[in-house]
């Protein structure tokens, strides 16, 4: 991936990289991918030179934000799978993926327009998340807490739809939570819906 280091970063450099990724995630998600890199550096409280030492191009920064989102999903999903019963783990994973996917389409389009093959760089983490979802779905269905006829491709399609719905709902947390609650309630067998 562009912008990664071959050796471990010093503590201050690692902090600056994390601040840049936090700021870029927030700014790109709320204001779009057209925001100049100078504004990202300013939001992170670092100089533009620091930004370009970590991410030589805006595309490298966008790609790093997408990879980081997938890492957050993978970590959160693994934690949910270990700490929760199957349906709750699946639902927590679904929510996390939907929430982390907001703005992803614009990121992917910007990278594609710049000639970056985003599918190649995201293939490994995406496959790991898909495999975990398949396992969680199977376990929840085996426990009888998720509709038995639901397939993994259908679950993935629902995630795509949830992402579109959340983007359409905008930043209102109540509306976003309601959308996800309705979707997740529909995943339960009819006799278990409250």
């Amino acid at each position: 991936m562009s912008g990664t280091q071959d050796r471990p970063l010093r503590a201050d450099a690692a902090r600056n990289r994390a601040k840049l990724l936090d700021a870029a995630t927030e700014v790109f998600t709320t204001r779009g991918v057209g925001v100049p890199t100078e504004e990202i550096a300013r939001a992170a409280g670092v100089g533009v030179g620091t930004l370009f030492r970590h991410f030589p191009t805006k595309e490298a920064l966008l790609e790093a934000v997408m990879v980081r989102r997938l890492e957050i999903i993978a970590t959160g999903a693994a934690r949910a799978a270990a700490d929760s019963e199957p349906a709750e783990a699946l639902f927590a994973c679904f929510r996390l993926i939907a929430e982390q996917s907001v703005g992803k389409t614009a990121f992917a389009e910007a990278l594609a327009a710049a000639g970056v093959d985003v599918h190649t760089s995201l293939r490994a983490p995406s496959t790991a998340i898909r495999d975990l979802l398949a396992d969680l779905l199977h376990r929840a269905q085996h426990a009888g807490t998720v509709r038995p006829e639901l397939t993994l491709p259908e679950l993935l399609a629902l995630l795509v739809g949830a992402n579109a719905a959340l983007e359409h709902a905008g930043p209102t947390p109540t509306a976003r939570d309601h959308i996800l609650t309705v979707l997740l309630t529909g995943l339960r067998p009819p006799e278990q819906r409250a």
Side-chain angles (χ1 to χ4, degrees):
M1 183 189 86
S2 306
T4 60
Q5 308 293 323
D6 292 331
R7 57 193 150 98
L9 294 174
R10 294 184 333 253
D12 61 330
R15 278 191 302 276
N16 284 340
R17 187 176 197 283
K19 287 193 302 188
L20 284 162
L21 286 171
D22 288 343
T25 299
E26 175 66 23
V27 172
F28 288 148
T29 301
T30 58
R31 296 181 42 209
V33 296
V35 175
T37 51
E38 292 79 10
E39 290 188 37
I40 303 295
R42 191 170 26 258
V46 301
V48 173
T50 298
L51 184 147
F52 286 120
R53 271 193 298 283
H54 289 282
F55 308 103
T57 65
K58 186 174 187 178
E59 291 75 23
L61 178 58
L62 281 166
E63 186 177 4
V65 167
M66 289 186 73
V67 168
R68 186 178 197 218
R69 282 181 165 188
L70 289 177
E71 290 168 348
I72 289 168
I73 291 168
T75 301
R79 190 174 19 251
D83 297 343
S84 304
E85 64 91 13
E88 295 313 313
L90 178 66
F91 296 165
C93 188
F94 189 101
R95 277 185 180 276
L96 181 62
I97 292 169
E99 290 165 356
Q100 287 293 317
S101 294
V102 173
K104 183 180 118 186
T105 302
F107 289 15
E109 288 172 355
L111 288 168
V116 176
D117 181 4
V118 71
H119 297 292
T120 298
S121 62
L122 302 179
R123 183 174 292 125
S126 295
T127 299
I129 292 167
R130 181 185 172 104
D131 292 347
L132 182 58
L133 273 175
D135 180 58
L136 290 174
L137 177 61
H138 173 74
R139 289 174 42 209
Q141 287 173 323
H142 184 71
T145 52
V146 170
R147 301 170 73 103
E149 73 277 11
L150 184 67
T151 65
L152 181 61
E154 291 167 342
L155 181 65
L156 296 173
L158 287 169
L159 273 165
V160 171
N163 181 39
L166 293 180
E167 287 197 13
H168 183 73
T172 309
T174 305
R176 297 170 81 126
D177 186 59
H178 187 245
I179 288 166
L180 289 172
T181 299
V182 168
L183 281 169
L184 294 175
T185 299
L187 296 182
R188 291 194 181 275
E191 64 274 8
Q192 292 186 7
R193 293 181 199 154

